[in-house]
Amino acid sequence: MILPKSNRLTPAQLAEVTAIVEPFGCRLQPIVGAVRTIYAIVGDERDELMINRLEGLAYIDRVDRIQSPHKLMDRRSDLASHRIALGKVTLGEELLVIAGQCTIDPKNPNFLYETAHAVKEAGANVLRGGVWKPRTNPYSFQGDTKSLDILMEAHRRTGLPVDAEVMDETQLRLALDAGVHMLQVGARNALNYSLLSAIGRAVAERDVFVLLKRSMHMGAINEFISAAEYIVSFGNRNVLLCPRGTAPALDGYRNHPDESITPLLKEKTWAPVVVDPSHSVGKAAYVPACALAAVAYGADGLCIEAHVQPSQGIGDDPKQALTPDVLAETISQARQLWRLRRGSAPAQALFSP
């Protein structure tokens, strides 16, 4: 929908706008009002180049798109009926919980093995473990490829699918060759379109899942969904959207918690929403409440950092990882709340001692 700055386009302006849209298979339909005429774009109005050319005209106020810019991720697309089944959980039918260490310590592999058993016992469905870590400080521990073997051994010992973040194509290849079940795209790479495309190509013919986190800045909802479109466009539909807090930080929290965007995402896309409360608030004491808030907003899953001995962990674990007993209680309450929202749990059962 084209809105001119004046009441209507002049004949010369109308001819120029028509010349822009026609090569894209579109035409204009004037809608004449009492004081203003606007111009509907009839055809596929999602082409970015066409929109950019129209918005570059000095006499155009703005161009409002009625069609979704997401051909595949849109909740009205042919993929809307797709259901993601990971392990024994089908998203939308049961709350998915991903849990585990922020960072695997290659010098102490037993920490991950013990954590893996603990998170499974607590009710988690997927084990997360940081093999490679993005760090602001170049002198901080960046992870170790040896940790990939530790992560896969934890999978063999527990049977839990595993989730690992990748930051470049070398790590992507190593993770896939090792048999990682879920690739995580972190906030720093959430708008790295070259990496997103590489992941899309690499997983196109594989039964691999992608957990796509929201970028660190307060980006638009459409920007988040468009990042997922890069991956899905190659054929693999198993993408999960992960709000994880944004910048600027809210005083006292690591980031600005953004679990409230879940309903906005669900209005636009069919993709499941799995919220990361650990990075949102950044402190273990706040994580359970943030996790429950995410479920209350309609999240399909949670991604929670946990460690058998957080104080002995590395990376973010000492400050934001939950102990196994707190994780178990959080998962129990989250699933009660999830069932309550679905109308299958009595209200009095929630938070019962």
Side-chain angles (χ1 to χ4, degrees), residues 4-10 31-39:
K5 292 181 178 178
S6 60
N7 292 342
R8 60 185 55 84
L9 297 176
T10 67
I31 302 174
V32 181
V35 296
R36 189 177 190 182
T37 298
I38 58 178
Y39 301 82

Side-chain angles (χ1 to χ4, degrees), residues 96-102 112 115-116 118-120 122-129 151 160-163 278 302-307 322 327-328 331:
L96 177 77
V97 179
I98 304 167
Q101 294 177 197
C102 163
L112 183 69
T115 297
V119 301
K120 181 178 182 178
N125 312 105
V126 179
L127 173 68
R128 64 155 291 158
L151 180 63
L160 290 176
V162 294
D163 160 46
S278 300
L302 299 167
C303 182
I304 303 175
E305 293 190 352
H307 196 292
L322 300 186
L327 175 67
I331 292 175

Side-chain angles (χ1 to χ4, degrees), residues 98-106 108-116 119 126-131 133 150-151 163 184 279 304-310 312-314 316-317 321-322:
I98 304 167
Q101 294 177 197
C102 163
T103 308
I104 298 172
D105 184 352
N108 296 284
N110 283 333
F111 276 144
L112 183 69
Y113 301 149
E114 293 172 13
T115 297
V119 301
V126 179
L127 173 68
R128 64 155 291 158
V131 175
K133 301 301 298 182
I150 299 172
L151 180 63
D163 160 46
Q184 180 174 302
H279 283 86
I304 303 175
E305 293 190 352
H307 196 292
V308 285
Q309 296 185 47
Q312 301 301 309
I314 59 178
D316 295 327
D317 285 323
L322 300 186

Side-chain angles (χ1 to χ4, degrees), residues 148-168:
L148 186 58
D149 294 330
I150 299 172
L151 180 63
M152 298 314 299
E153 177 61 22
H155 158 64
R156 287 187 286 271
R157 294 188 182 195
T158 62
L160 290 176
V162 294
D163 160 46
E165 180 176 353
V166 295
M167 298 178 289
D168 58 43

Side-chain angles (χ1 to χ4, degrees), residues 292 332-341 345-353:
L292 295 178
S332 175
Q333 292 185 352
R335 288 196 166 127
Q336 288 183 60
L337 181 56
W338 191 88
R339 289 191 296 268
L340 179 64
R341 292 190 76 257
Q348 63 266 27
L350 192 61
F351 311 127
S352 58

Side-chain angles (χ1 to χ4, degrees), residues 7 40 48 63 75 84 88 92 112 160 174 241 264 280 306:
N7 292 342
E48 288 290 339
V63 179
R75 66 192 304 257
I84 295 178
K88 298 180 180 180
L112 183 69
L160 290 176
L174 290 172
L241 302 179
L264 303 179
S280 290

Side-chain angles (χ1 to χ4, degrees), residues 40-55:
I41 302 173
V42 180
D44 190 342
E45 61 181 1
R46 293 173 293 192
D47 193 285
E48 288 290 339
L49 179 57
M50 180 181 72
I51 299 299
N52 288 342
R53 288 176 176 175
L54 292 171
E55 290 181 336

Side-chain angles (χ1 to χ4, degrees), residues 22-23 27 96 149 153 171 175 196 209 218 234 263 313:
E22 284 184 342
R27 61 181 177 85
L96 177 77
D149 294 330
E153 177 61 22
Q171 294 173 0
L196 296 176
F209 304 82
M218 279 195 177
F234 289 92

